Amino acid sequence: MAELIGAPFGALLRRMLREHEREGKVFDLPARKFWHGARDLDTSVRFHGRTAANPLGPAAGPQDQMAQNIVLSWLAGSRILELKTIQINDRLALPRPCIDATTVGYNVEWSQELRLEDSLREYVAGSMLLDVLKADNLLGLPSDRLKQDTILDMSVGYDLAGIRSPQVRGWIESMKDARAHVEALRAEIPDDLRRWRDLDFATRLSDQITLSTFHGCPAGEIEGIVRFLLTEMDVHVTVKLNPTLLGRQAVDSVLHDVLGYHEVRTRAEDFDKDLQWSQALEITDRLSEVARSRGRTFQVKFSNTLVVRNHRAFFPASEAVMYLSGGPLHVITLALVDKYRRARPEVAISFSAGVDAQNFPDCVALGFTPITTCTDLLRPGGYGRLPRYMALLEERMRALGATRLGDYVVRAFGRGEEAVSAETRDGPARGSVLAALAGGADVRAAAEAAEPGLFDRIVRRAAVLNTPLVAARAAADPRYQAEKNRVAPRKIGSHLALFDCINCDKCLPVCPNDANFVYETGPLSVEYGRFVVREGTVTSVPAGTFVVTKAHQIANFQDFCNECGNCDVFCPEDGGPYIEKPRFFGSLQAWTALHGRDGFFVARRAEGDAMWARIRGREYRLDVQAAGHARFTDGVITVEVRHPERRPLRAEARADAPEGHALDFSAYLNMALALDGVLDLRRSNPVNAAVSEARASEEGRTA
């Protein structure tokens, strides 16, 4: 199984800055998709006592497990990033593919695939890259830090024994105080970027945790974990709860009767073993009191994914269950929130279930903080879908005359007067606030003038009153129904090849880790031969014509690819970009370790560029000298090549070369074309990110 490997910090930093300067994008996200924030609106929120510029962010999933994920989420508008869940078992072997976003959303992956120390490094690196972006004023907001305020939210699982282990405790402490890890990465900043070595990087990355537990985790176990985190680890806690709390009958009714997903089947045992409703309320009360006594905050999150039977052929048959997300979960979870708020209206709620741009403003009107999304970002556009979330919210705010999120919550569904009346006595205070509400004036100013803290209470009350309206609206919305979500992404019947495709580029943004990338080649049509050992000498025989028709090519960076399969889902052609397109490794060690997979490793060295390749299971090496000559070999036959012209000069075989052994020169053409393309510094990619301009100039290879 392919494993994720983080890039060296210096390479990430160089690529981020170079790509923005030269191409107007960062990690393939174009600058037009960056979220800058509206200067006339305040979308900031408070979460566990800290300020974030808005309530939006990725859920603990594939969009925030590596440093480049964190940067991409942030640039597109995320300001509360729930980092992917870590656990003591960091040697997971997950099935592949593991994500099925074909229609609604299913997955069989559930926690960080990196080792604990590697996850920590990625999160520290991501935080440091954000500090560089802020210091570099990339968003163009020199005097408006409110648009940059960001919270990193740890996500930890799954049982008390694992979380109490020295490894996980140490990991949490390192997130609370990352000075040693920051200094280690600071030392990796290369000389050509030395100006960033003295930046005052944040070292207290997070003091809060969203707890994720296994489906079926006992109530006592959940309570024990939260108590441990609040007391011994001294962090704020959000506990993620499961949609099973709504009850199987209610969940099945929504799935089958309301939405029409008759093929989706739940299992009784998952509801029976999971946290029960009365238990959830009881532990909420006790844990809220523990948090208050410790000067910490406690809240809940709705919801985790819903465990259902694996009824599709997408995942291996060995997987009896899969986890539902997307539109159906949105409707189910809103119904659960409505039920919970009727019982515990005072408890703050985070929300994640089928969130997208269209329903995000409604979620904000319910006072959720944060509001996290995952499945929607797996669709075409990827992270670039996030700015529309905020744009639609800003439109709604302006239409209501609300300049702050609190005012928006109060005004969003016309329940403001009821909220004010519920939180005030009849008299001047109520009258002044109602007058401000009716006249489009500043409700917050009027409420706070009447009584400190009154505005926050009115906002909370309005959020509760809005909840049944939003839940009912979602249940009645045709776009969540099965008949609207049956059509799979279109396939056109052709099969991907190593070079050339229809160039739709859908595979780039749908990859959460930015593993797929573009490089440029020139069109090429050249006749080539096969070199064959015959009676101790090497002869050449014609073999065919090597043809590449397009300049725009797609490749895959294996270190960033966990073979989730999402790029295959949305590619109009068959075969899968992560399988068929050139696969580049970040190190020779990684290339060697995954010996069963075709792919390339490229090294730029003082004596010239080198490439190791595995094509259809056979291994080759190409060494390019500065003078334009190259040596191409499979270890048996070696061909001297005039590299710029891609013309063979001479060939020789090992003394013990077996009779009839053949070396196909098309392998060289594949390698040469890819090598020159990915090392062209005019276009940034994860392969050439390690190459500085100074180094390229010294070697005489600057494009």
Side-chain angles (χ1 to χ4, degrees):
M1 183 180 76
E3 294 191 10
L4 295 173
I5 302 173
F9 183 69
L12 284 170
L13 179 59
R14 180 184 290 116
R15 180 186 171 193
M16 182 178 79
L17 297 172
R18 176 194 288 166
E19 192 173 1
H20 182 257
E21 177 186 354
R22 297 182 180 177
E23 302 175 58
K25 56 190 179 72
V26 171
F27 300 137
D28 291 309
L29 182 72
R32 69 179 183 277
K33 295 294 185 180
F34 297 173
W35 180 74
H36 299 276
R39 294 186 180 274
D40 60 325
L41 300 175
D42 179 2
T43 58
S44 64
V45 293
R46 299 281 289 175
F47 181 42
H48 289 313
R50 294 184 57 198
T51 300
N54 67 53
L56 177 62
Q63 285 88 13
D64 50 6
Q65 63 183 335
M66 303 188 78
Q68 68 270 20
N69 303 147
I70 293 170
V71 171
L72 286 162
S73 292
W74 188 84
L75 285 171
S78 298
R79 291 299 180 268
I80 303 178
L81 287 79
E82 184 184 287
L83 303 172
K84 193 163 187 182
T85 309
I86 63 97
Q87 61 158 322
I88 184 62
N89 179 13
D90 60 358
R91 298 293 193 274
L92 292 175
L94 299 176
R96 294 291 186 265
C98 59
I99 296 174
D100 177 7
T102 309
T103 52
V104 287
Y106 302 100
N107 73 83
V108 290
E109 57 91 41
W110 32 271
S111 77
Q112 180 61 284
E113 297 169 55
L114 296 171
R115 306 293 183 256
L116 281 168
E117 62 271 20
D118 295 331
S119 288
L120 180 62
R121 183 191 178 281
E122 290 301 301
Y123 298 161
V124 174
S127 174
M128 292 173 69
L129 291 175
L130 295 190
D131 286 340
V132 170
L133 292 175
K134 295 172 188 177
D136 205 31
N137 190 26
L138 187 139
L139 294 181
L141 299 168
S143 62
D144 194 352
R145 288 198 57 217
L146 277 177
K147 304 305 183 197
Q148 298 187 351
D149 284 345
T150 305
I151 296 173
L152 299 183
D153 184 33
M154 291 181 275
S155 180
V156 174
Y158 286 90
D159 59 16
L160 182 57
I163 294 173
R164 289 180 65 95
S165 68
Q167 298 95 316
V168 174
R169 292 177 69 138
W171 191 94
I172 295 171
E173 292 294 351
S174 293
M175 287 291 288
K176 292 166 64 179
D177 182 358
R179 280 176 291 184
H181 303 278
V182 167
E183 292 309 310
L185 292 184
R186 188 194 301 273
E188 293 185 19
I189 297 176
D191 288 343
D192 59 309
L193 300 173
R194 66 175 64 89
R195 67 188 185 278
W196 296 110
R197 289 175 182 165
D198 295 328
L199 188 63
D200 185 19
F201 292 108
T203 57
R204 188 171 178 82
L205 302 192
S206 182
D207 64 352
Q208 59 189 62
I209 287 175
T210 292
L211 171 66
S212 184
T213 59
F214 285 122
H215 290 269
C217 186
E221 180 93 352
I222 296 172
E223 184 169 359
I225 297 171
V226 177
R227 284 181 180 273
F228 167 74
L229 294 174
L230 288 169
T231 57
E232 295 191 45
M233 299 311 301
D234 194 29
V235 294
H236 307 284
V237 179
T238 301
V239 61
K240 188 186 297 183
L241 299 176
N242 294 333
T244 50
L245 277 174
L246 193 59
R248 190 184 186 201
Q249 183 177 359
V251 168
D252 285 352
S253 177
V254 173
L255 280 174
H256 305 152
D257 303 332
V258 176
L259 301 179
Y261 291 94
H262 298 286
E263 73 280 9
V264 178
R265 314 303 296 184
T266 61
R267 306 186 308 173
E269 59 264 38
D270 297 314
F271 289 80
D272 295 340
K273 295 177 181 178
D274 223 335
L275 185 70
Q276 300 300 301
W277 178 253
S278 60
Q279 295 172 327
L281 298 183
E282 290 166 3
I283 66 173
T284 292
D285 295 341
R286 290 193 293 267
L287 293 172
S288 296
E289 183 54 40
V290 172
R292 280 192 292 269
S293 71
R294 300 286 302 184
R296 293 290 161 183
T297 53
F298 169 81
Q299 66 180 66
V300 298
K301 180 170 187 177
F302 294 107
S303 74
N304 208 337
T305 49
L306 176 67
V307 58
V308 299
R309 296 183 187 277
N310 181 9
H311 65 277
R312 294 168 57 80
F314 191 91
F315 300 126
S318 60
E319 300 302 306
V321 299
M322 56 188 179
Y323 300 96
L324 170 70
S325 61
L329 187 63
H330 184 74
V331 179
I332 291 169
T333 305
L334 283 175
L336 176 56
V337 169
D338 187 26
K339 180 180 179 180
Y340 185 85
R341 275 189 158 163
R342 293 176 193 272
R344 295 294 184 271
E346 72 282 0
V347 178
I349 293 176
S350 304
F351 187 84
S352 183
V355 176
D356 61 20
Q358 293 185 61
N359 60 39
F360 177 70
D362 280 0
C363 292
V364 175
L366 301 188
F368 299 143
T369 301
I371 301 164
T372 63
T373 182
C374 178
T375 302
D376 186 56
L377 303 187
L378 295 169
R379 305 194 185 285
Y383 297 94
R385 298 170 74 90
L386 283 172
R388 181 163 169 78
Y389 288 51
M390 293 303 299
L392 293 181
L393 171 63
E394 291 159 2
E395 287 179 16
R396 288 267 296 270
M397 291 177 69
R398 291 192 183 96
L400 293 168
T403 59
R404 301 185 185 91
L405 282 195
D407 292 306
Y408 169 72
V409 173
V410 172
R411 298 178 185 275
F413 286 96
R415 307 303 293 269
E417 289 188 16
E418 188 176 349
V420 172
S421 297
E423 295 296 332
T424 59
R425 294 189 180 92
D426 190 16
R430 177 183 292 177
S432 64
V433 177
L434 289 176
L437 180 63
D442 191 335
V443 176
R444 177 173 184 162
E448 292 304 296
E451 180 187 341
L454 176 58
F455 181 71
D456 288 341
R457 297 204 310 272
I458 292 171
V459 172
R460 285 196 297 269
R461 177 72 67 167
V464 172
L465 293 170
N466 292 342
T467 302
L469 302 177
V470 173
R473 185 154 90 165
D477 191 334
R479 75 189 189 94
Y480 297 119
Q481 294 176 3
E483 65 182 52
K484 296 291 185 180
N485 293 284
R486 298 288 191 208
V487 180
R490 187 173 71 96
K491 296 288 186 180
I492 61 176
S494 56
H495 198 282
L496 287 172
L498 196 67
F499 294 104
D500 293 340
C501 61
I502 65 171
N503 286 170
C504 68
D505 287 358
K506 287 183 179 180
C507 62
L508 273 66
V510 300
C511 175
N513 300 329
D514 190 39
N516 298 321
F517 65 94
V518 168
Y519 67 101
E520 301 289 338
T521 68
L524 180 67
S525 179
V526 58
E527 294 182 356
Y528 69 93
R530 296 170 70 241
F531 295 92
V532 184
V533 177
R534 290 177 177 169
E535 298 180 353
T537 62
V538 178
T539 61
S540 177
V541 297
T545 304
F546 184 89
V547 178
V548 173
T549 63
K550 298 180 179 180
H552 185 90
Q553 302 294 337
I554 302 293
N556 172 271
F557 191 60
Q558 178 65 66
D559 290 14
F560 291 172
C561 178
N562 62 350
E563 301 180 359
C564 71
N566 200 50
C567 61
D568 186 21
V569 169
F570 293 100
C571 177
E573 298 190 85
D574 295 317
Y578 75 104
I579 296 173
E580 300 294 346
K581 289 302 178 181
R583 181 187 289 118
F584 288 87
F585 291 79
S587 69
L588 184 58
Q589 179 183 9
W591 180 84
T592 303
L594 209 61
H595 55 80
R597 304 293 176 87
D598 285 0
F600 307 95
F601 168 65
V602 174
R604 172 152 281 178
R605 303 174 302 178
E607 60 270 26
D609 299 331
M611 174 184 269
W612 288 256
R614 195 178 298 113
I615 302 173
R616 299 184 192 90
R618 291 188 62 178
E619 294 187 0
Y620 307 91
R621 178 165 171 176
L622 172 63
D623 290 275
V624 180
Q625 301 168 348
H629 283 76
R631 288 171 57 87
F632 168 61
T633 182
D634 65 352
V636 177
I637 296 175
T638 298
V639 182
E640 297 286 340
V641 184
R642 181 65 183 171
H643 185 65
E645 294 85 6
R646 297 170 173 44
R647 178 167 54 87
L649 299 175
R650 65 185 66 86
E652 60 182 12
R654 246 176 26 206
D656 60 347
E659 180 71 14
H661 179 86
L663 173 62
D664 196 324
F665 197 64
S666 67
Y668 160 79
L669 296 171
N670 280 333
M671 294 170 68
L673 205 64
L675 176 71
D676 292 345
V678 298
L679 288 183
D680 186 343
L681 298 186
R682 290 173 296 185
R683 180 181 282 273
S684 298
N685 61 63
V687 179
N688 67 28
V691 181
S692 70
E693 272 70 21
R695 183 176 165 196
S697 178
E698 289 169 6
E699 295 163 10
R701 297 282 300 164
T702 303

